Amino acid sequence: MPKMTFVLRDGTRKEVDAPLGLSVLEIAHRNHVDIEGACEGSLACSTCHVVVENVWFEKLAPASDDEEDMLDLAFGLTHTSRLGCQIRMTEALDGLVVKLPAATRNMMVDK
């Protein structure tokens, strides 16, 4: 089974099983990692924003225009930011490392 690592907000690392085909958001929820995912992965918010380590970022498929639009709303955006709901585990991503940003912005709640 592929693995991935979440770097939590306090800097600790949590390595988890990452079943093929699941999104980073789904994997986080299965493993009690604190990623909101307010829109439940429908690409309508930025609350599943993660920062992908550089070496892994280059292995991801490019973000869609819709994902880029949602990322524009994310708190603490970086050049390796992606939405967890849009990253699906593959064999090539075995070992993926993503960092949780310091905060998230939920446009439905944070007015």
Side-chain angles (χ1 to χ4, degrees), residues 4-79:
M4 71 167 292
T5 300
F6 291 94
V7 179
L8 306 178
R9 288 180 180 89
D10 67 2
T12 59
R13 298 169 75 86
K14 183 172 186 174
E15 184 178 282
V16 299
D17 288 336
L20 296 174
L22 289 186
S23 71
V24 167
L25 175 62
E26 292 167 318
I27 295 164
H29 286 173
R30 282 188 173 197
N31 291 282
H32 311 288
V33 173
D34 187 23
I35 295 180
E36 184 175 353
C39 74
E40 299 178 359
S42 65
L43 196 53
C45 75
S46 64
T47 62
C48 66
H49 168 221
V50 294
V51 178
V52 180
E53 281 196 350
N54 285 330
V55 66
W56 293 103
F57 185 77
E58 309 209 356
K59 296 180 181 190
L60 300 176
S64 68
D65 289 342
D66 289 339
E67 182 180 358
E68 292 285 353
D69 290 345
M70 286 295 106
L71 280 168
D72 287 341
L73 305 174
F75 180 86
L77 191 65
T78 74
H79 71 282

